[in-house]
C-alpha cells in the first residue's frame, strides 16, 4: 500500500505531543507511526497483519532516526490485544473501511481496505480495553460511517471529544472525518479541513497542518 493522504492527515492531526506510549493499529507503510515519532518523545508500537506491509514498515522504521522508539509487530490486532498487558495513552488507526465494495484479487489489498479483517466493532472494543484512563483514540474514516462509529464507541465507554470534517474543496460534501475519543468526559471540539483551494493546489490550512511532513 502506498502512502495516502488519509494517513498523512491523521498523523498530522493527532494530539500526541505529550503521549508516552502510542499504539498504531494497522500501520501499513508506517507513515502514522513515523509522524507520531516526529511529533513526540513517545515509545510507539506499530501492529500490522499483512506480511508485505509489515516488512515495508519495519524497513522504513529501521531507516529512520526514530528506530529505537518504534516496535513493529506482525499479528492480528484482536488476537494480540487479548494477550496485551500494556496500556496506551494514545491509540491511533487508519482502519479498513470498505464494507460492500468489490474485493481485490490481491489478499494484501483486501486486508488493508476491507472491514472483514478488522470490523469497527472489534477495533473499538479491543481498543477500549487497552486504552489508559484519560487516554485518547483517533481514527480517520469515511463521513458516511461516522454516526455508526460514534454509537459503537459510546457503547464501549469511549466519548467523542474532537471531530474534523474533511472536504476536498470548500463547497463539497465531506469525504472523510477525523474522530478523537477518550474514556473520560470532555467538551466536543469540532471544525473542518479543506484539502484543496483549487484543482491541484493545496489549501493553506492543509499546508499548515502537514508542513512538517512535506518537502516542497
Amino acid at each position: 500500500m502506498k502512502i495516502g493522504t488519509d494517513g498523512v492527515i491523521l498523523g498530522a492531526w493527532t494530539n500526541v505531543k505529550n503521549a508516552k506510549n502510542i499504539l498504531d493499529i494497522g500501520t501499513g507503510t508506517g507513515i502514522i507511526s513515523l509522524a507520531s515519532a516526529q511529533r513526540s518523545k513517545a515509545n510507539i508500537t506499530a501492529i500490522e497483519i499483512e506480511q508485505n506491509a509489515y516488512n515495508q514498515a519495519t524497513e522504513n522504521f529501521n531507516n529512520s532516526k526514530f528506530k529505537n522508539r518504534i516496535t513493529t509487530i506482525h499479528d492480528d490486532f484482536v488476537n494480540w490485544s487479548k494477550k496485551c498487558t500494556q496500556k496506551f495513552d494514545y491509540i491511533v488507526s487508519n482502519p479498513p473501511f470498505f464494507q460492500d465494495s468489490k474485493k481485490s484479487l490481491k489478499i494484501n489489498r483486501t486486508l488493508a481496505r476491507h472491514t472483514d479483517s478488522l470490523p469497527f466493532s472489534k477495533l473499538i472494543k479491543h481498543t477500549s480495553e487497552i486504552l489508559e484512563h484519560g487516554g485518547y483514540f483517533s481514527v480517520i474514516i469515511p463521513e458516511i460511517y461516522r454516526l455508526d462509529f460514534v454509537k459503537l464507541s459510546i457503547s464501549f465507554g469511549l466519548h467523542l471529544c474532537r471531530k474534523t470534517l474533511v472536504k476536498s474543496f470548500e463547497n463539497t460534501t465531506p469525504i472523510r472525518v477525523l474522530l478523537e475519543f477518550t474514556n473520560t468526559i470532555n467538551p466536543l471540539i469540532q471544525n473542518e479541513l479543506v484539502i484543496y483551494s483549487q484543482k491541484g493546489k493545496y489549501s493553506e490550512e492543509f499546508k499548515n497542518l502537514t508542513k512538517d511532513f512535506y518537502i516542497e
Side-chain angles (χ1 to χ4, degrees), residues 8-109:
V8 174
I9 292 175
L10 182 58
W13 184 82
T14 52
N15 283 327
V16 297
K17 182 179 179 180
N18 297 317
K20 296 178 181 179
N21 294 291
I22 299 171
L23 175 64
D24 177 11
I25 303 170
T27 194
T29 56
I31 182 64
I32 295 173
S33 287
L34 289 168
S36 298
Q38 182 172 319
R39 299 175 58 235
S40 74
K41 296 181 180 179
N43 291 314
I44 299 166
T45 301
I47 186 165
E48 175 57 51
I49 188 174
E50 201 278 310
Q51 182 70 59
N52 292 329
Y54 166 80
N55 292 342
Q56 182 66 73
T58 301
E59 181 180 351
N60 289 339
F61 298 153
N62 288 338
N63 287 331
S64 78
K65 63 181 180 180
F66 310 114
K67 62 182 180 181
N68 293 331
R69 291 198 282 123
I70 307 178
T71 300
T72 323
I73 295 175
H74 181 219
D75 203 348
D76 170 78
F77 168 64
V78 173
N79 291 334
W80 175 82
S81 67
K82 292 176 181 178
K83 301 174 289 184
C84 180
T85 57
Q86 182 179 0
K87 296 282 187 177
F88 297 88
D89 57 0
Y90 210 105
I91 298 177
V92 61
S93 181
N94 178 11
F97 52 71
F98 291 150
Q99 301 187 64
D100 302 311
S101 58
K102 185 177 180 180
K103 297 184 178 180
S104 168
L105 294 177
K106 294 184 178 180
I107 186 64
N108 61 329
R109 295 284 292 183

Side-chain angles (χ1 to χ4, degrees), residues 31 62-63 98 101 115-116 132 139 144 161 165 188-189 196 200:
I31 182 64
N62 288 338
N63 287 331
F98 291 150
S101 58
T115 58
D116 291 12
E132 190 175 277
V139 297
I144 58 172
C161 60
L165 296 173
L188 175 61
I189 299 171
Y196 298 103

Side-chain angles (χ1 to χ4, degrees), residues 109-123:
R109 295 284 292 183
T110 297
L111 285 172
R113 296 166 70 86
H114 289 267
T115 58
D116 291 12
S117 60
L118 185 58
F120 286 160
S121 58
K122 290 187 177 181
L123 169 65

